[in-house]
Amino acid sequence: MGRNRTRTDPDRYLTIRQGNYHYKRRVPVTIAHLDERAPHVRASLKTDDRTLARGKRDLLEAADDALWASLITKGVTDPARRRYEAAVKRVEALDFTFHGATYFEEPEAFNDLMDRIRHVLASGQEDRIADPLLGAVEVPDTKVSDAFDIYCNEIVADELIGKSQVQKDQWKKVKRRAINNFIKLNGDIAMEEIGIDHAKKVYRHWLGRIAPKEGSSTAGASSGNRDLGNMRVLYEAYFKYQGDARRDNPFEGLGFSLKKKRSRPPIPTEWIRDTMMKPGNLATLNDEARGILLILIETGARPSEICNLEPHAIRLSNKVPHLSIEPREDPANPREIKTESSRRLVPLVGVALAAAERHKTGFPRYRNRENELSATLNHFLRANSLLPTKAHTVYSFRHSFEDRMKEAGLDDELRRLLMGHTVDRPKYGSGGSLDWRRRELMKIALPFDQSIV
């Protein structure tokens, strides 16, 4: 084993001694004089399991790649960070978590420290593993902008796996606003430099917009809370990731009172029936956007849920025609839904059924373009005076649908299920048959002229 050292060899750098796997790798000749371990790097992986050994080998291999790259560049990039990253990977390969030196100054860390010292002494490799294992490797300063990249690409990378590119961009956009505002007020300083004065500067910035001493408010409390909250999360997650979870968070406790939460008003049923659905009023709206709008009226779905429907999720041949609102689990083109409770089956009735029959394969023009859809619909509705007030938006149809169900006396749990809201009790059964759901929805179905479809 170990003669073929190409990157495609699953057992590269692995050897067996006395029944256990070891990592053995030659230091590149060009930097052998800079690495005291030359000519070979050796480390016991302390396992006879090949799969586990390969995983530990991967960490050590990545650590050495990073270290040697820093020695080659000699500061052209950031050798201190490369050495630090190499130390982190090496410690993880030893089944420990990397911590900076300050961590071991705490009384609670005493037992962990003793375990590490015992491991160092038992390994016979004190000169090679003691520094990273005992926190003697300097943790480099990281600018706020770089910390945000680490947060997105490493710390919460798993949370982004199921999102479409549009969803990823939107997720980052909201959080990046907080980063940009912080940098605008304080500069792109190192995370380690951030203190309460920097956090208060962000707080006072938003305070001046939410509750100005003169003039009227230019921002809501939720906007300020979102910025402060995103900085608080970044700070906590970053230092926890660096092995410094006990660090006081300067953003903790800073926020604004939400006395009244803004809510989109529902569109009156009469307005939908007599104005919105009046023949001719939607005629100049493009075909797919009109189809989506008509489905929204009788399903209460989110616009993004309808425009991203795959053909198989528009089930017109079933005994009860319905939509299956579900995440898209295609690895090449994923898309998540808002919450697990948003996964649901919604019967098609009235104008929604007619529109779905016209668009059996979905809405390719707006697939993965939900922001473009919302902009198109809101612009059209406002330009043609089809919204009751400036406070109403296309999302108001969702609120109207819920009100119509409530006024018709539909079961509370059914309403929650059809809206994709959480049901606050243990789940039993399927929530009622599709046929029953359709009968209940027929109670609120609005009359329509086929010409509007």
Side-chain angles (χ1 to χ4, degrees):
M1 178 183 297
R3 285 180 296 177
N4 181 7
R5 299 309 186 194
T6 66
R7 292 284 176 167
T8 57
D9 179 5
D11 293 317
R12 61 190 179 279
Y13 312 131
L14 292 181
T15 60
I16 293 181
R17 292 174 57 190
Q18 297 179 339
N20 279 335
Y21 282 94
H22 287 244
Y23 170 75
K24 180 181 178 182
R25 186 180 183 188
R26 178 178 291 277
V27 178
V29 175
T30 54
I31 55 169
H33 62 292
L34 299 174
D35 191 333
E36 61 185 14
R37 302 170 300 169
H40 288 97
V41 179
R42 294 183 176 87
S44 171
L45 300 179
K46 298 188 182 300
T47 181
D48 59 1
D49 183 281
R50 179 179 296 191
T51 301
L52 184 57
R54 287 173 175 173
K56 292 187 174 186
R57 180 274 321 280
D58 289 344
L59 291 170
L60 290 171
E61 181 181 14
D64 286 328
D65 286 345
L67 175 61
W68 292 337
S70 72
L71 295 175
I72 292 171
T73 58
K74 295 183 180 178
V76 174
T77 54
D78 186 353
R81 173 152 295 280
R82 288 184 179 272
R83 289 189 180 93
Y84 162 72
E85 291 172 350
V88 171
K89 291 183 174 69
R90 193 167 297 284
V91 170
E92 290 174 350
L94 297 173
D95 292 330
F96 288 93
T97 299
F98 179 87
H99 292 291
T102 56
Y103 166 82
F104 297 106
E105 296 173 3
E106 301 293 332
E108 296 87 348
F110 178 78
N111 289 336
D112 188 9
L113 176 61
M114 295 307 298
D115 286 343
R116 293 167 186 246
I117 292 174
R118 282 191 287 268
H119 185 90
V120 170
L121 295 175
S123 70
Q125 304 177 58
E126 293 91 334
D127 57 331
R128 297 178 180 177
I129 68 173
D131 283 357
L133 202 56
L134 303 180
V137 175
E138 180 182 358
V139 179
D141 289 347
T142 304
K143 294 189 297 185
V144 173
S145 58
D146 291 336
F148 181 64
D149 290 339
I150 292 171
Y151 177 75
C152 295
N153 299 329
E154 299 180 30
I155 301 175
V156 296
D158 59 314
E159 296 180 22
L160 303 179
I161 291 174
K163 295 182 185 292
S164 67
Q165 190 57 51
V166 172
Q167 290 176 318
K168 289 177 183 177
D169 291 344
Q170 188 64 30
W171 181 90
K172 289 183 180 179
K173 178 182 176 181
V174 174
K175 291 171 173 54
R176 193 178 292 281
R177 187 193 72 175
I179 307 305
N180 291 342
N181 282 338
F182 179 90
I183 292 173
K184 188 183 299 182
L185 294 166
N186 295 292
D188 195 4
I189 62 177
M191 290 290 291
E192 293 75 10
E193 293 178 25
I194 298 177
I196 186 62
D197 289 341
H198 300 102
K200 282 183 176 179
K201 193 174 286 189
V202 177
Y203 175 84
R204 286 193 292 267
H205 163 76
W206 281 106
L207 181 63
R209 298 187 60 189
I210 295 166
K213 294 180 180 179
E214 296 181 4
S216 57
S217 172
T218 60
S222 60
S223 296
N225 285 340
R226 192 175 295 115
D227 261 22
L228 288 164
N230 281 326
M231 285 303 302
R232 180 164 52 248
V233 169
L234 172 66
Y235 192 93
E236 178 182 351
Y238 173 77
F239 283 109
K240 183 177 181 181
Y241 187 63
Q242 303 300 340
D244 191 5
R246 294 184 178 87
R247 182 181 287 252
D248 290 337
N249 193 324
F251 297 94
E252 193 65 45
L254 293 179
F256 303 97
S257 173
L258 285 171
K259 293 182 179 179
K260 184 178 181 180
K261 185 178 180 180
R262 294 180 182 177
S263 178
R264 298 178 183 87
I267 300 174
T269 302
E270 296 77 14
W271 182 278
I272 297 175
R273 184 188 62 219
D274 301 334
T275 301
M276 194 76 61
M277 298 172 66
K278 183 179 180 179
N281 279 0
L282 299 177
T284 58
L285 180 60
N286 78 74
D287 193 45
E288 289 192 25
R290 183 172 64 252
I292 292 169
L293 180 61
L294 296 176
I295 291 176
L296 296 180
I297 290 174
E298 296 293 19
T299 63
R302 301 174 178 92
S304 60
E305 293 174 334
I306 301 303
C307 73
N308 283 292
L309 286 170
E310 295 292 323
H312 71 267
I314 303 174
R315 301 173 179 175
L316 299 174
S317 60
N318 285 56
K319 180 180 178 182
V320 177
H322 64 277
L323 304 178
S324 176
I325 296 175
E326 58 193 29
R328 188 167 59 224
E329 297 176 345
D330 176 4
N333 185 28
R335 185 182 183 278
E336 67 179 15
I337 53 179
K338 188 171 183 180
T339 62
E340 183 57 30
S341 59
S342 295
R343 187 192 294 261
R344 62 200 188 276
L345 303 178
V346 182
L348 289 164
V349 300
V351 73
L353 176 58
E357 289 173 337
R358 182 179 174 87
H359 299 277
K360 297 179 181 179
T361 59
F363 306 92
R365 176 172 179 170
Y366 292 108
R367 194 165 291 138
N368 290 324
R369 293 183 173 88
E370 48 261 43
N371 293 336
E372 181 184 332
L373 169 68
S374 293
T376 297
L377 288 175
N378 282 321
H379 174 75
F380 177 87
L381 295 174
R382 291 196 176 100
N384 291 276
S385 302
L386 294 179
L387 291 173
T389 71
K390 292 182 179 180
H392 290 85
T393 70
V394 68
Y395 215 87
S396 297
F397 286 104
R398 182 165 164 80
H399 296 267
S400 300
F401 181 75
E402 187 166 25
D403 278 3
R404 287 162 55 204
M405 289 193 294
K406 187 183 298 183
E407 291 167 3
L410 270 64
D411 175 73
D412 175 71
E413 193 165 308
L414 174 61
R415 299 201 310 266
R416 289 174 176 267
L417 188 150
L418 292 173
M419 293 292 292
H421 292 159
T422 302
V423 176
D424 299 323
R425 71 165 182 80
K427 183 177 179 180
Y428 301 103
S430 63
S433 70
L434 275 172
D435 189 45
W436 172 70
R437 296 182 199 181
R438 177 174 62 176
R439 290 198 305 271
E440 290 297 291
L441 282 182
M442 286 299 296
K443 296 177 181 178
I444 65 168
L446 300 173
F448 70 98
D449 189 308
Q450 186 67 36
S451 66
I452 72 172
V453 178

